[in-house]
């Protein structure tokens, strides 16, 4: 049976990596006070189609017995933000605001499978949402938290690219552009389409040549500090919304910078395609792996969730875990959690081996017992194949099968070095591996 394209499955060594990455993300998010939630896999189809231009990517869900005559009413969620907005509205009376959530779940999109693009994949999200008013300092905090999370992962250097749609919209309005949102959608193509082609598209949208040139000049501004403000002002465009956006973007750049291992840039190409973003927007690329596109993105959304009484503005950022890990090909030092294999001399003595294993487990040392009472050489080979570093010979002898060192030990007191207790990620990919 052939594999289903776009639905990745990990081998044990790869799954260990994924779990360690998710554990690191959880620890980072919870250190900043984010609470975990999980939402259902399906949402009403009309709700999903209401948020952004993604209708062709949604997987509809219905019973086989329903047939073609009964239209689908449910669909698998394509991100975690829209379900989160619905969750907030339904549970607002039981949540404390500002509400800080982290969430890791599968999502589904009907995309064409390719490197870094899947039909089923895991996302890790953080969001902060408030009732009616969300102070801007939360934009800064979300950027900082994700920068810290990225810095602790075994990946190439990440660049967190930050922009603000108020800067773009205010600049376009200051130029006299009637439909800023349309221009943003065109500018968002710059990573995939040459600048001269983007200029043609802008002119087709009704912009004059000099307007298109200034739009592209704005998009060329990338800085690692707040010097972008002076460069934007030098373009000679003024608008109240532009000034607000420049101030907000400066705060985020200053607040998110300084995390070792992550580069933070103000990048005025970034607009984000989904239409619910209203201010700060994020994208993230890896050094040497830029062809993957953004592996971590999000932004500010002031109007995603609302009811007749209240609105619930929020800011969040999402990391594509599968998109990050599958192409990088990271592997763990072993495929099993076991640090020790307890040998079995004869089947009659298996109970003694089991007792040793249980003593080790009671002290937090992952241990398994040899499946067969083979010659000890074969039992050692079995441990080597599984990557298990230690073999215990009952009653009181343990061997590091990598070095050959063997010592007397008691299962009530002996412990392996900390680095051997759990599998570890073997290597960090570099751009040289990206071929």
């Amino acid at each position: 049976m052939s594999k289903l394209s776009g639905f990745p499955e990990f081998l044990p060594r790869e799954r260990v990596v994924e779990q360690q990455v998710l554990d690191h993300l959880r620890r980072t998010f919870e250190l900043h006070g984010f609470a975990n939630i999980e939402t259902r896999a399906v949402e009403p189809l009309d709700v999903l189609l209401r948020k952004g231009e993604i209708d062709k990517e949604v997987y509809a869900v219905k019973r086989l017995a329903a047939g073609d005559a009964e239209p689908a009413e449910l669909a698998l969620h394509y991100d975690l933000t829209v379900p989160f907005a619905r969750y907030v509205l339904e549970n607002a009376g039981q949540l404390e605001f500002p509400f800080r959530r982290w969430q890791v779940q599968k999502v589904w999109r009907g995309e064409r499978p390719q490197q870094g693009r899947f039909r089923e994949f895991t996302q890790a999200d953080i969001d902060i949402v408030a009732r009616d008013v969300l102070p801007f300092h939360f934009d800064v905090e979300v950027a900082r938290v994700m920068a810290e999370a990225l810095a602790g992962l075994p990946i190439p250097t990440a660049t967190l690219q930050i922009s603000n749609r108020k800067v773009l919209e205010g600049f376009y309005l200051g130029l006299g552009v009637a439909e800023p949102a349309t221009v943003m959608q065109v500018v968002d193509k710059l990573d995939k389409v040459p600048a001269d082609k983007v200029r043609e598209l802008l002119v087709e949208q009704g912009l004059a040549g000099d307007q298109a040139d200034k739009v592209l000049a704005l998009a060329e501004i990338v800085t690692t500090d707040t010097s972008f403000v002076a460069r934007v002002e030098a373009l000679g465009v003024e608008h109240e919304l532009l000034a607000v956006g420049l101030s907000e973007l400066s705060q985020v750049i200053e607040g998110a910078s300084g995390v070792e291992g992550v580069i933070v840039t103000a990048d005025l190409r970034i607009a984000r395609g989904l239409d619910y973003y209203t201010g700060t927007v994020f994208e993230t690329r890896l050094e040497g792996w830029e062809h993957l596109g953004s592996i971590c993105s999000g932004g500010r959304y002031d109007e995603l969730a609302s009811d007749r009484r209240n609105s619930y503005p929020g800011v969040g950022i999402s990391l594509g875990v599968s998109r990050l890990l599958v192409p990088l090909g990271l592997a763990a030092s072993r495929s099993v959690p076991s640090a020790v294999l307890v040998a079995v001399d004869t089947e009659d003595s298996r109970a003694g081996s089991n007792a040793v294993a249980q003593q080790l487990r009671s002290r937090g040392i992952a241990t398994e017992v040899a499946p067969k009472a083979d010659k000890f050489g074969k039992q050692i080979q079995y441990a080597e194949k599984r990557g298990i570093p230690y073999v215990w010979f009952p009653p009181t002898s343990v061997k590091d099968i990598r070095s050959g060192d063997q010592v007397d030990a008691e299962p009530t007191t002996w412990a392996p070095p900390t680095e051997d207790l759990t599998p570890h990620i073997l290597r960090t990919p570099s751009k040289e591996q990206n071929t």
Side-chain angles (χ1 to χ4, degrees):
M1 181 180 293
S2 60
K3 291 185 177 181
L4 281 177
S5 178
F7 294 85
E9 293 178 320
F10 289 130
L11 293 171
R13 284 179 185 267
E14 299 163 339
R15 176 62 173 158
V16 168
V17 173
E18 183 186 44
Q19 290 203 304
Q20 290 194 5
V21 165
L22 295 180
D23 285 345
H24 163 74
L25 295 174
R26 174 189 58 79
R27 287 192 300 270
T28 304
F29 299 156
E30 292 186 351
L31 281 173
H32 288 267
F34 288 80
N36 181 230
I37 68 166
E38 183 171 284
T39 54
R40 64 198 185 205
V42 298
E43 296 292 335
L45 184 59
D46 63 328
V47 171
L48 290 179
L49 298 186
R50 200 183 302 154
K51 304 296 182 182
E53 300 179 358
I54 199 164
D55 55 302
K56 293 181 180 179
E57 298 180 4
V58 171
Y59 280 111
V61 177
K62 67 176 183 178
R63 298 176 301 114
L64 286 176
D68 295 334
E70 182 178 315
E73 296 181 353
L74 299 175
L76 295 171
H77 57 226
Y78 60 81
D79 74 357
L80 300 180
T81 304
V82 174
F84 176 56
R86 187 265 311 158
Y87 178 93
V88 168
L89 288 176
E90 291 183 359
N91 297 285
Q94 302 176 67
L95 299 175
E96 294 294 329
F97 293 100
F99 178 54
R100 311 152 72 85
R101 84 79 155 91
W102 72 268
Q103 185 174 356
V104 174
Q105 279 184 245
K106 297 282 190 182
V107 298
W108 295 267
R109 294 183 188 177
E111 296 189 296
R112 181 174 66 85
Q114 53 187 299
Q115 189 177 46
R117 294 278 186 177
F118 308 101
R119 292 171 175 169
E120 177 185 74
F121 53 99
T122 299
Q123 283 193 185
D125 283 28
I126 54 171
D127 286 84
I128 302 175
V129 64
R131 181 183 278 120
D132 295 327
V133 177
L134 180 71
F136 182 75
H137 64 79
F138 288 117
D139 290 44
V140 181
E141 181 177 359
V142 162
R144 179 79 185 193
V145 172
M146 189 54 79
E148 292 180 9
L150 291 168
L153 294 178
I155 59 175
T157 300
T159 296
L160 181 58
Q161 304 162 296
I162 308 175
S163 184
N164 192 301
R165 287 174 73 128
K166 293 176 184 176
V167 171
L168 306 185
E169 185 177 353
F171 188 88
Y172 304 155
L173 289 172
L175 279 177
V177 175
E179 297 291 339
T182 302
V183 174
M184 276 190 222
Q185 291 173 2
V186 175
V187 172
D188 203 39
K189 302 178 187 292
L190 272 171
D191 282 334
K192 301 176 182 178
V193 178
D196 56 349
K197 179 60 178 177
V198 171
R199 187 181 189 280
E200 290 178 16
L201 294 173
L202 291 171
V203 172
E204 289 175 9
Q205 294 293 334
L207 272 67
D210 61 337
Q211 289 177 312
D213 290 338
K214 285 202 172 184
V215 167
L216 291 173
L218 180 72
E220 291 174 358
I221 296 175
V222 180
T223 70
T224 56
D225 53 26
T226 58
S227 61
F228 68 90
V229 175
R231 292 180 60 180
V232 173
E233 292 173 345
L235 295 176
V237 176
E238 296 182 359
H239 193 276
E240 182 180 356
L241 188 61
L242 172 61
V244 172
L246 290 173
S247 174
E248 290 185 351
L249 183 54
S250 295
Q251 293 177 60
V252 179
I253 295 299
E254 289 179 336
S257 296
V259 177
E260 185 176 354
V262 174
I263 299 169
V264 175
T265 65
D267 192 328
L268 299 184
R269 292 172 299 173
I270 307 302
R272 302 293 300 138
L274 295 175
D275 61 8
Y276 49 64
Y277 294 115
T278 55
T280 305
V281 285
F282 310 100
E283 290 191 355
T284 309
R285 285 169 172 77
L286 298 182
E287 181 182 3
W289 297 80
E290 290 83 1
H291 64 287
L292 293 180
S294 179
I295 53 93
C296 180
S297 57
R300 173 87 174 213
Y301 44 88
D302 287 322
E303 300 173 359
L304 183 64
S306 63
D307 55 28
R308 293 181 180 180
R309 294 169 298 175
N310 302 103
S311 63
Y312 297 91
V315 59
I317 190 165
S318 173
L319 173 62
V321 178
S322 303
R323 188 172 191 177
L324 175 67
L325 295 183
V326 173
L328 296 186
L330 296 168
S333 57
R334 57 184 189 259
S335 61
V336 296
S338 308
V340 179
L341 175 76
V342 180
V344 177
D345 189 11
T346 67
E347 288 302 327
D348 291 340
S349 67
R350 181 172 289 276
S353 296
N354 287 337
V356 170
Q358 194 55 37
Q359 287 176 306
L360 292 170
R361 293 182 194 124
S362 69
R363 298 173 44 243
I365 302 169
T367 305
E368 58 183 276
V369 178
K372 294 174 61 178
D374 280 327
K375 293 180 179 179
F376 283 159
K378 288 188 175 181
Q379 295 186 54
I380 290 173
Q381 289 177 356
Y382 175 83
E384 286 177 333
K385 289 180 180 179
R386 294 167 69 79
I388 301 172
Y390 295 93
V391 174
W392 192 287
F393 301 102
T396 57
S397 179
V398 63
K399 182 175 185 174
D400 182 337
I401 62 174
R402 299 161 301 183
S403 66
D405 294 337
Q406 186 167 336
V407 297
D408 292 335
E410 292 292 336
T412 55
T413 56
W414 177 88
T418 302
E419 61 268 21
D420 288 334
L421 267 177
T422 59
H424 59 270
I425 298 172
L426 285 175
R427 59 183 174 84
T428 299
S430 64
K431 57 185 176 183
E432 285 76 18
Q433 295 168 293
N434 178 18
T435 58

